[in-house]
Every structure is written in structure tokens, then in C-alpha cells.
DNA sequence: TCAACTCCCACCTTTGAACAGG
DNA sequence: ACCTGTTCAAAGGTGGGAGTTG
């Protein structure tokens, strides 16, 4: 686990650039390998972030551009997604099931990488299970502190990561906002998108290059305290080894339990469980979960399919965008560094373990709020035949280039263009491959068109390139556009792909036919998530995915996929039914089949804007914004059906950069750019929350740039804004993702970012503060509705603005560093360790220092589960 | 009244220590 | 002394049900 205690460097971390390199032999203990986010920002990293030096000898052979991630148990995820994945959240923390198991490729075997898992809201809506489907019932609650789960093996060499299945099964979810365990805190009845980030440890300081973020649309889920959909329960019982007792043959099944209660007869252990032994947690590799699923489960699935269709295909539609990725990971840097030092040896040694646990550490990224979830693209997974979905990564810089269309971009273009170019909407398109209905962020999936659909949702991660960094906002919330697009695309892709899907990963469940009736059935294809409502999307029809060059796609289209089978958004029949979720913001009566989609359509407004655009905290964290977008979808789109699931999320929110800095966007993809109507551009009456604004700037423009607002600003903002109750809880209105996003974005990019940058980097021209974004006063600027609408519903992130946390102690250093533009070394001067914020209420956290590193006692003693890193500083609660 | 949440239960898997044998 | 394999207890993970809360 990472923790200040264990990894002093995390907290203190004065790190020198030289330190960034491997230090396998170096004692982790005292060596602050990684500078904290703050530190980085303080150092004036911004410049670097903005323009990371071209890969040099230092990073020879860095495969960054080629980094790909496959979701190993994609078929299982798809099965769940078709029904509408639900994840239990408890006070004590609950593991995820299915677990996230991925395989990485394209890493430099000799370089060290850190893997992170974070979960970001897909939209700003609250859901309720009604009429056998998930429907939006209101605005999302204030976003909780972002926490990141660091894979316990981190840092480890590329060879290490690539030679085994990486499992994050140890990551736990909790709804306890005061959680001191460092678990990932989520709100119940909200929809979330997990994201996996791959960060080159040595490049911690140079974020741009090494960061890769991946999202798998099929892994979207709704958090619950008790299962709402019986089909999900059945699937879980049948596929989760820990729930064997509840299987029909199990001793704890209903029948048995009832019998015992009535008869008071002890359960008969003699009964043999027919259930196949599944390796629950980690075993994914050995025993694909899907495989494990008993026939009964399959039957269930099939039966559900109708529903399922409704269910998760949504993946694609709903998540299209990977809004998720937007959040900056910068915060990680420090931690990572520390981790590397300590763990390198251990991790490296673990060759034997094919599976890598995600047990690792959970880090709370306060700053890193992922912005709002982008919609997933990945619907593909459902459709995708293969379980594993591969997403190609896009360089963060590239991400900005959501413009996928250009293959070149994908690989690793440094060009910033990406960012600007990528309208959230675009993404969605990409994802969906299918065209999205006009206006709806969530383009209907036209699978027919979608032959391109990627089988599994694969997303290209964006490599944070120099340029990208500039563009990217660390916080970048997911781009709404993406969401919509991806989802649709995903769905479509997924649908189309499905045939193959089974083939891929888990054989078990895969049975393509059985498992994915929905898939086959166009109607079923139903996307779990309703098409984006955002009308803005200029080209509903144009699938973003298409724009993406196929070359980009990691996987070639699966021949198996039958485009026809896949319902496309365009398909009137399929589309409506397809989306399980009604639009959050605006319930869509139009949605013919709520049932069909497990998830209600995302609110359009959500806007990606918010998500992608701003993360107050993100400023610090360079995590790829969701906006970054799921390249995967894009890829998938172009390709008719690609098996790959992997979705790399662009590290940075493409949208933000664009919006914020039009100029910055050098290479906006034509398609993308044209697309989206980005709210960002529009001035926002009221600035986003100060915090947000602060973070945003960085995020939008930079990947991982730690856009750190100068201390004064921060302080002022915090003091002012936070105290303000308004921030604590966003009014429903504010909650509206659209509003939030739109507002937040503009301010971020323009004013806040510029300011921040300027502060950090004298060289950077300061942008006049955005009038719209008053730092302190405006908690939430009004959002331009129209713009918002353009974005996918999912994007709505407003409520979830990431917190920026500036540790008080840090502030001074930052200021000094900034003002003086002191060289990195000075910047790295250790700052006083921050108090760990274990149980702090998120709200209270507002005032808290940047980083809170949590340690997981349990894990530490018990299974060594990872620690959770929490940067809680959220601007809004 | 109802939805959502919390707590507890029984069952199960996983993990690691303890032990024995080579 | 070291390694390997087996056994066992403890810890932890499940969903379900009952009760609580708002």
C-alpha cells in the first residue's frame, strides 16, 4: 500500500528529475522517488507538461504510443453490462465483481510503470431501478473525493505487467464518505466508469509522455447498496465463487435457507455443488470468470437479454466517452515514485504471478476527479465477441486529438490538436461507430455502419504528449461528447461484435449466442445507455468512430461480427429500445425501451464539458480526462467490428483543451472539432467553482500537468468558495452536468488555467482570468444549456467536480517555487507531510490539503492489498 | 408507506501459519 | 538448514433477510 508512512516520498517527495529514473536498487524508504503532484506543479512542471520534451534517449523505445490494454474478462463484463451492472457499495467496502482484469502490451519491458484504477462518475444523475430498468431520478450527489487504487505491483517493469493478467480485484468500493480505509468512495445509485491508468514511473515528472488511460465501456456500473435487478444477482451468484453458497446447489441458496429456517435443519453440506469452481478474484487468468458462469447463469443472461439489451449494451452508448479519463493523474506522480522505489524489486520479482492483483494501493485523488464520466463507448463489449477488449492507447497529447480519424494521431501524436479537436460529441460517435442521432450526444448506434465496431471495447489511451499536455486538462472531466458517442458506438460495436465476444475472453460465458441474445437481437442491442440527448452533436449520424483511422485500432474488425446484427443507433428500432437508461437530465419519454437499456440515457448536459473540462482537482492531476476520450470507441467505429475491448482513454480531456484554449488546439480533428459544440467556448456567466477553475486550467491544457493554482488563488478560493455552502452541495441545478461542465470548462481553460500556468510557469502567458469564472465567488457558474445539451448525457459532471486539494503546507512552497520559477530541485523540497485524512468528510476536505494518502490497514496486515491514495480535495460538496 | 440503507447471518474462498516429510 | 507439500484456522468475501432510517 502506498501511504505516507510507507512511502514518505509520497508526501514529501522532493524528487529530482534524475530520480525519476529507475531506482530499483535504491532503498525506497527515504528516497522520495516521486514528487507529489503539488511539488511537480510547484516546480514549474507546467512547462514540461505543456511541452514535454520529446522522448529522448532517456526513454528509448518507449512504447508509449503502442500501449494497449485488453480487458481479459470482457465477456463477463459484457454479460453484466447487458443486464445493467450493479456494484454493491457498503460502509466497510465491497470488492468489485466482476473484477477488472486486464492485460497490457506495448510497454517498454525495461521501464517501470504504475497502474492505477480510478472510478469516475459517468454522469451527474442519480438512478433508480424502476420498471425493471434504470432510470434517472435526479441529479447526482456531490462528488466524493476521488481516490485511486494503485495496483500493488506498482511500480513494476513493463515486462512484469505484460507477462501476466493484471487484476484489480482488491479494490474496494464504499459509500462511506468518511472512509478511512482509502477505499474508493462512490455514491449509491450513481453510474460510474472505472478507468485504468498506466503511468511510466520514471516519467512521473514528465507526465505527458507516459500516461495512458483506458476505459472499458462494458465496465460501467451503477452502485447500489442492495441489488436491484434480480438478473444481476443471479449473474453474480453464478459467476462469483464467493457466492457459491447462494447458488442453487449451494448450501445457502434460497431453498436451503428457507428449509433451514423452517426446519431449523443445518445446511446439508453433503450436497455437492455443481457449480464450477471459479477463481473468483484473481484467477481470472486461469479461470475466466465467464467460463465459470454456470449454464444457469447463461440462461439467466439469455433470458435477461431482452433486458440485457436494454441492459448494458449501454456500455457503449452510455459510456461512450470515457469521460473518465480526463482526470489528471498528476497526483500520482509522487506516489508512484515512492512506489517504484519500494516495490520495484518485489514487483519485478513476481514473475510467477500471472495475475496481478489490484490489491495495490488505493489512492484517493482528490484532485483528480475524473471528471465526469464520459459515456462509454464500449458498448462494443457487449457486441464484441471477444471477451477481452483492447483499447489502444492514445498519447495524452493525442487524446486531445480525439479526432481519431487520423491514424497518426492515435499513435502518438504530440500534437495538441487532439484536445481541441475532440469534441465530446465526436467521441461518442467514434465510439459508437454508429451514427448518433443528431442532437443526442449519444448517437444512435448504427451498427450497420458500425462494422467498425470494436469487438471489445478497446480504447486507445492517449499519450500525454507535450502538446497534449497543453491541451489536456488534468481534471478533464469526461467529455460529454464522448460519452454519447462512445456509448453509441460501443453499443453498436458491441452488438455487432458480440458474436465474437464470447470467443475472446472468457469462454465460459461467452457463448456468444446464448449469452448475448441481445446482441444478436438488434433491438436488444439495446444500448445500456440511452443515446445522448445532447442535441448539439452536429452529426449525430457521423460516427465519431468512423473518423478514427482504422489503423489506430488495435484490433482489426472482427469478421465475425455481423454488422447487421448489431443494432445501430441509427436504427430506429434498436436505438430507442437500445438504451436502457433514460436520459438523466431529461428523461426521455422518447426512449422507447427503457428496459432495453440497462442504463438510462445520460443527460446530455453532462456534458462532457464538465467532466472533461474541469476538474478542480484535476489541475493537479494529470489523469487523462475522460474526454480524452475513448479512443477505443473511435477505433472501434472505424473498424467494423473489432474484438478488442481495450479502450484507451486519452489522458486528457480533449474537450477542455479545445475549449479552453482554442489556440492550443493545434490539431483538432476535423470531425471532432466540428462536432461538438462545446460549451466551453461559450462564456460562462458564472465561473465554476474556484477550485474547479483552478484545476481545470491545467487539466484542459495539460495532460498531467499539475496545473496548480497559485497558492494565493487556491487559498482564496478555498476559503471563499468552500465555506460557501453552495459549493458543498451543488444545487440540483448546478448539479446539472451540463451547466457545470460548460461553466467549469471555460473558466478553467481560460482563466484559471492560464493563471495557474502563468503562476507556475512564468513563461506561460497568463490568461486573464476568465470573467466567467470567478474563482471564489462563483461556485457554479450558470451553464449554457444549449451547449450542455450537446454533450452526452454522461458527461455531466457538474456535481462531481473534482476537488482540488492544496495542502496548506504545500502552498507556500508552490508559491515560492512559482514565483521564483525555481528549478525542480527546489520545488521538490520536501514539504511537511500532510495529515492523512482518513475519515474526513469530503466536505470538510474542501479545506484540506491537497493530498491525502490513505493507508489501508487491513490490507497492510492482511493480504497486502494495495493502499488507496486519496487526494481529496474537492472543490465542491 | 416506501425506498434506501445498515447490520447480521450463513456459507464460501482465500490466505497464511504450522507442521511433517524429504 | 532448506525446500516442498499438506493441514488447519482465521480472515475476508458473498447475497439475503430483517430492521432502521428518512
Amino acid at each position: 500500500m502506498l501511504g505516507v508512512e510507507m512511502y514518505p516520498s509520497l508526501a514529501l517527495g522532493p524528487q529530482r528529475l534524475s530520480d525519476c529514473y529507475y531506482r530499483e536498487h535504491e532503498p525506497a524508504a527515504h528516497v522520495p522517488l516521486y514528487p507529489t503532484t503539488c511539488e511537480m506543479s510547484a516546480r514549474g512542471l507546467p512547462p514540461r507538461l505543456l511541452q514535454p520534451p520529446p522522448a529522448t534517449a532517456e526513454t528509448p523505445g518507449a512504447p508509449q504510443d503502442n500501449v494497449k490494454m485488453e480487458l481479459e474478462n470482457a465477456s463477463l463484463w459484457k454479460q453484466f453490462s447487458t443486464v445493467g451492472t450493479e456494484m454493491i457499495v457498503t460502509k466497510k467496502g465491497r470488492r468489485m465483481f466482476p473484477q477488472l482484469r486486464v492485460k497490457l502490451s506495448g510497454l517498454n519491458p525495461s521501464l517501470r510503470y504504475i497502474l492505477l484504477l480510478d472510478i469516475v462518475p459517468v454522469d451527474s444523475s442519480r438512478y433508480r431501478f424502476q420498471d425493471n430498468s434504470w432510470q434517472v431520478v435526479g441529479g447526482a450527489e456531490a462528488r466524493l473525493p476521488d481516490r485511486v487504487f494503485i495496483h500493488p505491483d506498482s511500480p513494476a517493469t513493463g515486462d512484469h505487467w505484460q507477462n501476466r493478467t493484471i487484476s484489480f480485484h482488491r479494490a474496494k468500493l464504499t459509500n462511506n464518505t468518511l472512509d478511512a480505509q482509502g477505499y474508493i468512495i462512490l455514491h449509491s445509485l450513481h453510474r460510474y466508469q472505472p478507468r485504468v491508468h498506466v503511468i511510466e514511473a520514471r516519467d512521473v515528472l514528465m507526465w505527458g509522455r507516459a500516461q495512458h488511460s483506458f476505459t472499458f465501456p462494458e465496465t460501467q456500473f451503477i452502485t447500489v447498496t442492495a441489488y436491484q435487478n434480480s438478473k444481476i444477482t443471479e449473474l453474480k451468484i453464478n459467476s462469483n465463487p464467493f457466492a457459491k453458497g447462494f447458488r442453487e446447489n449451494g448450501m445457502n441458496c434460497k431453498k436451503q435457507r428457507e428449509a433451514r429456517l423452517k426446519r431449523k435443519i443445518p445446511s446439508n453440506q453433503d450436497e455437492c455443488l455443481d457449480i464450477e469452481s471459479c477463481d473468483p478474484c484473481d484467477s481470472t487468468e486461469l479461470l475466466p470468470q465467464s467460463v465459470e458462469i454456470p449454464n444457469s447463469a447463461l440462461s439467466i443472461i439469455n433470458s435477461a437479454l431482452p433486458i440485457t439489451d436494454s441492459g448494458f449494451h449501454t456500455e457503449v452508448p452510455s459510456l461512450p466517452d470515457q469521460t473518465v479519463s480526463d482526470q489528471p493523474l498528476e497526483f500520482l506522480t509522487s506516489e508512484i515514485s515512492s512506489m517504484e522505489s519500494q516495490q520495484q524489486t518485489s514487483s519485478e520479482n513476481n514473475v510467477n504471478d500471472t495475475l496481478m492483483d489490484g490489491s495495490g494501493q488505493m489512492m484517493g485523488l482528490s484532485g483528480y476527479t475524473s471528471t465526469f464520466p464520459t459515456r462509454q463507448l464500449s458498448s462494443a463489449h457487449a457486441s464484441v465477441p471477444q471477451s477481452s477488449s483492447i483499447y489502444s492507447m492514445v498519447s495524452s497529447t493525442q487524446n486531445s486529438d480525439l479526432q481519431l480519424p487520423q491514424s497518426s494521431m492515435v499513435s502518438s501524436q504530440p500534437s495538441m490538436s487532439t484536445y481541441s479537436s475532440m469534441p465530446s460529441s465526436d467521441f461518442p460517435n467514434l465510439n459508437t461507430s454508429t451514427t448518433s442521432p443528431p442532437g443526442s450526444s449519444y448517437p444512435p448506434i448504427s451498427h450497420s455502419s458500425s462494422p467498425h465496431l470494436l469487438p471489445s471495447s478497446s480504447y486507445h489511451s492517449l499519450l500525454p504528449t507535450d502538446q497534449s499536455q497543453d491541451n489536456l486538462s488534468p481534471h478533464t472531466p469526461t467529455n460529454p461528447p464522448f460519452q454519447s458517442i462512445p456509448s453509441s458506438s460501443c453499443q453498436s460495436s458491441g452488438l455487432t461484435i458480440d458474436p465474437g465476444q464470447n470467443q475472446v475472453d472468457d469462454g465460459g460465458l461467452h457463448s456468444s449466442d446464448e449469452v448475448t441474445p441481445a446482441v444478436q437481437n438488434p433491438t436488444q442491442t439495446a444500448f445500456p445507455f440511452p443515446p445522448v440527448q445532447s442535441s448539439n452533436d452536429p452529426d449525430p449520424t457521423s460516427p465519431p468512430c468512423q473518423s478514427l483511422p482504422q489503423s489506430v485500432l488495435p484490433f482489426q474488425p472482427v469478421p465475425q461480427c455481423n454488422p447487421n446484427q448489431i443494432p445501430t443507433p441509427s436504427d430506429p428500432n434498436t436505438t430507442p429500445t437500445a438504451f436502457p437508461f433514460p436520459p438523466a437530465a431529461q428523461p426521455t419519454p422518447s426512449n422507447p425501451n427503457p428496459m432495453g437499456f440497462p442504463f438510462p440515457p445520460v443527460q446530455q448536459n453532462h456534458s462532457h464539458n464538465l467532466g472533461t473540462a474541469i476538474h478542480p482537482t484535476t489541475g493537479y492531476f494529470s489523469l487523462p480526462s475522460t474526454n480524452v476520450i475513448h479512443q477505443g470507441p473511435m477505433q472501434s467505429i472505424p473498424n467494423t467490428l473489432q474484438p478488442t475491448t481495450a479502450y484507451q482513454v486519452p489522458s486528457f480531456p480533449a474537450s477542455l483543451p479545445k475549449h479552453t484554449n482554442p489556440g492550443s488546439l493545434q490539431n483538432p480533428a476535423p470531425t471532432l472539432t466540428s462536432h461538438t459544440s462545446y460549451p466551453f467556448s461559450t462564456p460562462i456567466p458564472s465561473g465554476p467553482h474556484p477550485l474547479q477553475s483552478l484545476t481545470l486550467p491545467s487539466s484542459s491544457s495539460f495532460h498531467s500537468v499539475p496545473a496548480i493554482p497559485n497558492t494565493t488563488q487556491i487559498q482564496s478560493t478555498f476559503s471563499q468558495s468552500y465555506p460557501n455552502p453552495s459549493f458543498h452541495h451543488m444545487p440540483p441545478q448546478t448539479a446539472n452536468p451540463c451547466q457545470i461542465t460548460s461553466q467549469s470548462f471555460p473558466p478553467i481553460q481560460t482563466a484559471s488555467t492560464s493563471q495557474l500556468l502563468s503562476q507556475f510557469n512564468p513563461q506561460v502567458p497568463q490568461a486573464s482570468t476568465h470573467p466567467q469564472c470567478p474563482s471564489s465567488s462563483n461556485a457554479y457558474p450558470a451553464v449554457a444549456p444549449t451547449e450542455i445539451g450537446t454533450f452526452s448525457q454522461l458527461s455531466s459532471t457538474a456535481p462531481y467536480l473534482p476537488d482540488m486539494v492544496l495542502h496548506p503546507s504545500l502552498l507556500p512552497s508552490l508559491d515560492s517555487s512559482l514565483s521564483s520559477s525555481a528549478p525542480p530541485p527546489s520545488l521538490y523540497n520536501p514539504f511537511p507531510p500532510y495529515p492523512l485524512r482518513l475519515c474526513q468528510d469530503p466536505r470538510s476536505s474542501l479545506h484540506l490539503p491537497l493530498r491525502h494518502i490513505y493507508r489501508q490497514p487491513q490490507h497492510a496486515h492482511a493480504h497486502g492489498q494495495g493502499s488507496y491514495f486519496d487526494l481529496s480535495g474537492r472543490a465542491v460538496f
Side-chain angles (χ1 to χ4, degrees):
Chain A
M1 294 178 60
L2 293 179
V4 173
E5 296 175 357
M6 296 181 66
Y7 302 87
S9 63
L10 293 178
L12 301 179
Q15 180 177 0
R16 296 178 182 178
L17 294 177
S18 62
D19 293 343
C20 295
Y21 287 91
Y22 276 86
R23 297 178 184 181
E24 294 177 352
H25 303 291
E26 206 167 342
H30 62 288
V31 177
L33 296 180
Y34 303 92
T36 61
T37 303
C38 297
E39 291 177 352
M40 293 180 66
S41 62
R43 290 182 179 181
L45 292 179
R48 295 181 58 188
L49 294 177
L50 292 175
Q51 296 177 346
T56 60
E58 293 178 354
T59 61
Q64 295 171 342
D65 294 347
N66 296 331
V67 176
K68 293 180 180 179
M69 182 177 289
E70 296 181 29
L71 181 61
E72 278 232 337
N73 52 345
S75 64
L76 182 60
W77 276 103
K78 289 178 182 178
Q79 292 180 2
F80 278 89
S81 68
T82 55
V83 178
T85 307
E86 298 175 22
M87 291 289 176
I88 293 284
V89 291
T90 65
K91 289 274 186 185
K92 293 181 178 179
R94 198 80 150 187
R95 288 184 177 182
M96 293 174 60
F97 189 89
Q99 2 172 301
L100 271 178
R101 297 191 314 170
V102 301
K103 296 200 77 171
L104 270 174
S105 62
L107 298 176
N108 184 327
S110 62
L111 294 180
R112 291 188 178 189
Y113 298 88
I114 294 171
L115 265 63
L116 307 174
L117 168 65
D118 69 342
I119 300 175
V120 297
V122 171
D123 56 28
S124 59
S125 300
R126 180 185 177 91
Y127 293 86
R128 177 178 297 172
F129 192 74
Q130 293 179 333
D131 297 335
N132 204 25
S133 67
W134 286 100
Q135 299 177 359
V136 173
V137 295
E141 300 198 15
R143 186 163 177 164
L144 296 168
D146 293 337
R147 285 181 174 176
V148 174
F149 177 84
I150 302 174
H151 194 285
D153 287 353
S154 300
T157 62
D159 180 65
H160 176 83
W161 295 116
Q162 294 175 138
N163 288 336
R164 65 207 69 209
T165 296
I166 303 162
S167 174
F168 289 92
H169 71 274
R170 290 190 187 280
K172 286 187 174 183
L173 311 180
T174 182
N175 60 347
N176 183 7
T177 56
L178 300 179
D179 173 68
Q181 303 297 322
Y183 298 143
I184 296 173
I185 303 172
L186 304 176
H187 282 301
S188 180
L189 301 178
H190 288 61
R191 188 149 57 105
Y192 291 94
Q193 169 69 62
R195 302 188 306 180
V196 177
H197 307 275
V198 179
I199 300 172
E200 186 179 336
R202 69 170 182 176
D203 283 346
V204 170
L205 296 179
M206 306 178 64
W207 251 140
R209 294 197 241 173
Q211 179 177 348
H212 300 271
S213 297
F214 300 86
T215 62
F216 302 89
E218 56 266 49
T219 60
Q220 278 191 9
F221 60 84
I222 288 181
T223 52
V224 297
T225 54
Y227 290 118
Q228 305 294 308
N229 189 339
S230 61
K231 292 185 175 65
I232 287 294
T233 303
E234 293 182 53
L235 278 173
K236 295 236 180 185
I237 291 174
N238 288 314
S239 56
N240 190 338
F242 283 108
K244 279 187 176 180
F246 298 94
R247 294 178 184 174
E248 292 181 356
N249 294 336
M251 303 305 296
N252 200 26
C253 63
K254 279 188 176 181
K255 292 179 181 178
Q256 296 292 331
R257 291 167 63 97
E258 291 176 357
R260 284 199 298 273
L261 293 175
K262 293 179 180 177
R263 300 173 187 175
K264 294 184 178 178
I265 298 172
S267 62
N268 179 359
Q269 293 178 344
D270 293 348
E271 294 177 355
C272 51
L273 297 177
D274 293 345
I275 300 167
E276 296 175 353
S277 64
C278 309
D279 195 14
C281 303
D282 309 40
S283 55
T284 52
E285 225 177 274
L286 297 177
L287 301 177
Q289 295 172 342
S290 64
V291 172
E292 292 175 354
I293 298 168
N295 294 339
S296 62
L298 294 176
S299 63
I300 294 168
I301 295 168
N302 293 340
S303 63
L305 287 182
I307 294 170
T308 57
D309 293 349
S310 62
F312 262 61
H313 294 292
T314 58
E315 298 169 350
V316 172
S318 61
L319 297 181
D321 316 328
Q322 333 60 28
T323 51
V324 176
S325 61
D326 296 351
Q327 299 172 345
L329 293 178
E330 294 174 354
F331 60 94
L332 295 179
T333 59
S334 65
E335 293 177 353
I336 292 169
S337 62
S338 65
M339 292 179 64
E340 285 184 353
S341 63
Q342 293 178 342
Q343 291 181 344
Q344 287 176 341
T345 59
S346 65
S347 64
E348 290 177 353
N349 294 342
N350 296 342
V351 175
N352 295 342
D353 299 346
T354 55
L355 282 180
M356 303 188 66
D357 291 348
S359 59
Q361 309 89 346
M362 298 286 281
M363 298 174 67
L365 297 181
S366 60
Y368 145 113
T369 56
S370 53
T371 60
F372 300 71
T374 58
R375 287 182 179 246
Q376 297 218 341
L377 326 174
S378 60
S379 50
H381 62 291
S383 59
V384 174
Q386 293 177 343
S387 60
S388 66
S389 56
I390 299 169
Y391 296 70
S392 63
M393 293 178 66
V394 174
S395 64
S396 63
T397 56
Q398 290 175 345
N399 354 353
S400 54
D401 306 342
L402 295 181
Q403 309 157 350
L404 304 182
Q406 297 174 345
S407 61
S408 63
M409 292 176 61
V410 170
S411 62
S412 58
Q413 286 180 341
S415 64
M416 314 250 331
S417 58
T418 61
Y419 191 94
S420 61
S421 63
M422 304 177 59
S424 60
S425 63
D426 293 347
F427 273 102
N429 293 342
L430 294 176
N431 293 344
T432 57
S433 74
T434 61
T435 62
S436 60
S440 63
S441 56
Y442 213 64
I445 298 166
S446 54
H447 295 292
S448 60
S449 63
S450 65
H452 306 294
L453 297 179
L454 296 179
S456 48
S457 49
S458 62
Y459 298 63
H460 295 282
S461 64
L462 295 181
L463 295 180
T465 62
D466 298 347
Q467 292 174 344
S468 64
Q469 290 175 340
D470 294 346
N471 293 338
L472 296 179
S473 65
H475 303 295
T476 64
T478 60
N479 295 343
F482 281 74
Q483 293 172 341
S484 64
I485 295 165
S487 65
S488 64
S489 63
C490 294
Q491 291 174 341
S492 64
S493 65
L495 293 176
T496 56
I497 296 166
D498 281 359
Q501 75 185 79
N502 294 343
Q503 295 173 344
V504 177
D505 286 15
D506 306 346
L509 295 179
H510 314 347
S511 56
S512 56
D513 297 348
E514 294 174 353
V515 173
T516 60
V519 171
Q520 293 175 345
N521 182 345
T523 56
Q524 288 177 340
T525 52
F527 301 102
F529 301 94
V532 175
Q533 293 173 342
S534 67
S535 59
N536 295 351
D537 182 349
D539 284 351
T541 59
S542 66
C545 295
Q546 292 174 346
S547 64
L548 295 177
Q550 291 175 341
S551 63
V552 171
L553 296 176
F555 299 88
Q556 292 177 345
V558 175
Q560 293 173 341
C561 300
N562 181 348
N564 294 341
Q565 291 175 342
I566 299 167
T568 60
S570 64
D571 180 348
N573 294 340
T574 59
T575 307
T577 56
F579 299 98
F581 299 93
Q586 297 172 345
T588 56
S590 63
N591 181 345
N593 291 342
M595 298 296 296
F597 300 94
F599 299 96
V602 176
Q603 294 174 343
Q604 294 173 341
N605 290 343
H606 294 340
S607 55
H608 320 2
N609 309 341
L610 292 181
T612 54
I614 301 165
H615 268 280
T617 53
T618 46
Y620 287 87
F621 306 92
S622 56
L623 294 180
S625 62
T626 51
N627 295 345
V628 173
I629 313 163
H630 307 292
Q631 295 173 342
M634 295 176 69
Q635 293 175 344
S636 64
I637 294 167
N639 295 341
T640 58
L641 294 178
Q642 291 178 344
T644 63
T645 49
Y647 221 160
Q648 279 188 341
V649 176
S651 341
F652 298 88
S655 63
L656 290 179
K658 293 177 181 179
H659 297 292
T660 56
N661 297 337
S664 65
L665 300 178
Q666 294 172 345
N667 298 335
T671 58
L672 295 177
T673 55
S674 59
H675 242 23
T676 55
S677 48
Y678 250 147
F680 299 173
S681 62
T682 62
I684 297 166
S686 61
H689 185 287
L691 292 178
Q692 292 176 343
S693 66
L694 293 175
T695 57
L696 292 178
S698 63
S699 65
S700 63
S701 42
F702 315 87
H703 261 311
S704 51
V705 174
I708 298 169
N710 65 15
T711 54
T712 57
Q713 289 178 340
I714 294 167
Q715 292 174 342
S716 64
T717 58
F718 278 95
S719 63
Q720 294 174 346
S721 64
Y722 283 100
N724 183 339
S726 64
F727 285 92
H728 291 287
H729 298 282
M730 293 181 65
Q733 294 173 344
T734 57
N736 180 332
C738 297
Q739 292 175 342
I740 294 167
T741 57
S742 65
Q743 293 174 343
S744 62
F745 276 36
I748 292 169
Q749 291 176 339
T750 61
S752 61
T753 52
S754 63
Q755 291 175 344
L756 293 176
L757 293 175
S758 64
Q759 293 175 344
F760 290 101
N761 183 356
Q763 293 175 347
V764 176
Q766 293 177 342
S768 59
T769 59
H770 194 293
Q772 293 173 343
C773 307
S775 62
S776 64
S777 64
N778 302 344
Y780 297 91
V783 174
T786 58
E787 292 175 352
I788 293 167
T790 58
F791 294 93
S792 66
Q793 297 170 340
L794 295 179
S795 63
S796 67
T797 49
Y800 295 102
L801 297 179
D803 316 353
M804 261 192 71
V805 180
L806 293 180
H807 192 286
S809 63
L810 177 61
L811 295 177
S813 64
L814 293 175
D815 290 347
S816 63
S817 65
L818 293 175
S819 63
S820 63
S821 70
S826 64
L827 295 178
Y828 286 85
N829 293 341
F831 48 85
Y834 335 96
L836 293 178
R837 178 181 73 147
L838 296 181
C839 300
Q840 186 170 5
D841 180 332
R843 295 174 184 175
S844 62
S845 66
L846 293 177
H847 300 286
L848 294 182
L850 280 188
R851 311 168 101 223
H852 301 281
I853 296 170
Y854 290 37
R855 209 179 146 186
Q856 225 179 352
Q858 291 178 345
H859 295 296
H861 66 59
H863 300 287
Q865 295 178 350
S867 60
Y868 293 73
F869 181 59
D870 181 10
L871 295 181
S872 65
R874 277 182 190 285
V876 175
F877 279 96

